[in-house]
Amino acid sequence: MIPRFITKNIHAYLDYPVAISLIALPFILNLGSSHPVAMWLSVVTGVAAFILTLLTDHHLGIIRVLPYKLHLAVDFSVGALFALIPFILSFNGIDAIYYWANGLAVLVVVGLHKPEETMQLA
């Protein structure tokens, strides 16, 4: 059995730096050589991830209106999309590697998520 150790709190601390890196890294790495979408998909996803984090019901959310389970579902979807998009849009080189690495990282984090313990009434 795989140990699941990424708690809601740990995940919350990862969200903001990941969102900022999704916005900044495409410029630093000069993405877009194989397809212009390679640059902007990450930037738009980073902005959306930042907003999602602001709105998520966890201790670092500012306006806690979205359930954490929805946040996890969105993360999973983004991870899967990032893993597949190089094949769909024929990314190659650094563009493909960037999306595969990010997609895999997100899927691993979601996969290692430790479910919250629920209180049971006796």
Side-chain angles (χ1 to χ4, degrees), residues 1-99:
M1 179 176 221
I2 297 172
R4 297 177 184 266
F5 60 90
I6 299 181
T7 63
K8 184 177 179 179
N9 285 345
I10 291 170
H11 190 114
Y13 284 115
L14 295 173
D15 280 338
Y16 288 108
V18 167
I20 291 166
S21 71
L22 287 170
I23 296 167
L25 280 176
F27 297 101
I28 294 167
L29 297 173
N30 199 28
L31 295 185
S33 61
S34 65
H35 198 294
V37 171
M39 166 72 80
W40 296 108
L41 178 62
S42 181
V43 174
V44 170
T45 302
V47 171
F50 195 86
I51 294 167
L52 177 67
T53 301
L54 289 172
L55 299 175
T56 297
D57 183 19
H58 58 44
H59 74 286
L60 294 180
I62 305 301
I63 306 167
R64 301 173 185 173
V65 295
L66 298 177
Y68 181 64
K69 285 185 179 187
L70 173 64
H71 182 110
L72 286 175
V74 170
D75 281 356
F76 177 83
S77 299
V78 168
L81 175 65
F82 272 29
L84 294 173
I85 203 74
F87 299 109
I88 296 167
L89 294 180
S90 300
F91 291 178
N92 57 52
I94 188 70
D95 294 346
I97 293 167
Y98 175 83
Y99 281 92

